[in-house]
Amino acid sequence: KSEQFNWDDYLKETESVAAPLHCFRQSRIPPTNDFKVGMKLEARDPRNVTSVCIATVIGITGARLRLRLDGSDNKNDFWRLVDSSDIQPIGTCEKKGGMLQPPLGFQMNASSWPTFLLRTLNGAEMAPAAFFRKEPPKPVPNCFKVGMKLEAIDRKNPYLICPATIGDVKGDEVFVTFDGWRGAFDYWCRCDSRDIFPVGWCSLTGDALQPPGNDVSITKSSAKIQSSPSKVTRRSMQSPQKSAPVPAQRGRKPGRGKPPGQSAV
Ligand code: MLZ
């Protein structure tokens, strides 16, 4: 097995198909990312979604920004696409008659917020309005089918985009299963979620697509794994049981949807 992950080979190996582009709420050509580290913008607080806060661009990855809310800690960074409706230029909130809020977990006394806000915006480099892209329209209806392949954000490690398979479909929702991780990272999301991407997305944006986990075809390759010490180490280090035991199975309906580990070879 070659170390470099290649979708064409992988789709053949797994005898599966990529979910069609029109199923996703993503632009056909990923939006260009002109943002620079240090720029400030307004962002919806992911932990308190009715609040609009000031955020700073901490990093750039493909079509996404790594964001940190001003006045918050460095443990709650989040990632947003440049065409996300969760971000907007500074001034937008006020223009709409809203008020900028301190983030959940604001590290200072709440009474110091107005002063903090003035200071944080003073002399700040504000991201130009032209850098924000329009969010693509919602795809209707849900056209995903069980077994289709995609690239999806690992919500437990949101900087990672990984190969995934549709494990189940129910109404407007899909069950995203991560190949080779035995269900530990799987989740249900709406079919118009901004966290799922068509096959090939990462190669277009320059993001590093994570290779599938090592728990591929547990039964078939178990003998091989035992005989190879390096594999045992890698496997146990990444073992989903260690990092995330039972809760990942929540929401998974018994009987339906292939266990991702076993479906991929
Ligand atoms: N090294 C971490 C990341 C796993 C990422 C899985 N993505 C589907 C772990 O083993 O928990």
Side-chain angles (χ1 to χ4, degrees):
K1 193 186 161 196
S2 74
E3 283 305 312
Q4 259 246 266
F5 180 78
N6 175 289
W7 266 120
D8 287 333
D9 298 343
Y10 190 64
L11 290 176
K12 271 185 214 128
E13 272 173 42
T14 57
E15 292 172 39
S16 46
V17 293
L21 295 179
H22 65 263
C23 295
F24 296 88
R25 188 175 199 174
Q26 302 293 354
S27 60
R28 203 171 43 82
I29 300 157
T32 49
N33 191 343
D34 295 323
F35 288 81
K36 301 276 170 292
V37 167
M39 286 181 167
K40 292 197 192 290
L41 45 87
E42 292 181 2
R44 200 192 301 276
D45 184 345
R47 297 193 292 165
N48 191 14
V49 295
T50 56
S51 288
V52 179
C53 304
I54 296 293
T56 302
V57 177
I58 294 299
I60 310 277
T61 162
R64 295 192 298 162
L65 308 171
R66 176 177 178 171
L67 299 171
R68 187 174 298 166
L69 299 180
D70 289 25
S72 179
D73 56 72
N74 58 4
K75 300 272 161 5
N76 290 285
D77 290 355
F78 56 104
W79 283 257
R80 287 295 176 270
L81 287 158
V82 299
D83 61 2
S84 165
S85 58
D86 291 337
I87 57 169
Q88 58 196 26
I90 284 175
T92 313
C93 183
E94 197 183 30
K95 229 180 278 169
K96 291 181 181 163
M99 264 210 325
L100 288 168
Q101 301 290 329
L104 190 92
F106 181 51
Q107 290 189 303
M108 270 160 266
N109 197 302
S111 62
S112 63
W113 171 246
T115 320
F116 177 89
L117 185 59
L118 285 176
R119 285 211 187 124
T120 201
L121 289 176
N122 192 271
E125 188 183 0
M126 301 183 192
F131 289 8
F132 297 81
R133 313 280 177 210
K134 211 171 150 299
E135 184 165 67
K138 283 188 185 189
V140 270
N142 182 355
C143 67
F144 288 101
K145 300 271 175 291
V146 170
M148 285 177 169
K149 297 284 184 194
L150 66 157
E151 297 179 8
I153 288 178
D154 171 353
R155 286 184 170 172
K156 290 179 181 164
N157 305 281
Y159 45 91
L160 298 178
I161 304 183
C162 315
T165 309
I166 299 293
D168 201 354
V169 178
K170 199 179 182 193
D172 283 341
E173 305 237 321
V174 292
F175 190 54
V176 176
T177 68
F178 288 91
D179 292 21
W181 291 97
R182 295 216 218 149
F185 300 91
D186 301 355
Y187 58 82
W188 281 94
C189 68
R190 290 183 49 88
C191 63
D192 57 12
S193 166
R194 304 305 317 278
D195 289 353
I196 55 177
F197 307 95
V199 161
W201 178 267
C202 285
S203 77
L204 290 175
T205 60
D207 274 297
L209 179 70
Q210 295 304 117
N214 291 318
D215 279 318
V216 235
S217 187
I218 305 144
T219 29
K220 216 174 133 189
S221 59
S222 54
K224 233 190 285 172
I225 287 162
Q226 297 304 335
S227 66
S228 155
S230 66
K231 271 221 174 121
V232 173
T233 320
R234 252 179 86 198
R235 188 166 177 263
S236 53
M237 272 168 66
Q238 298 188 326
S239 167
Q241 276 108 325
K242 264 194 185 161
S243 52
V246 190
Q249 291 294 343
R250 261 188 327 196
R252 186 185 188 92
K253 289 195 302 180
R256 287 190 64 194
K258 282 185 268 178
Q262 275 124 6
S263 65
V265 181

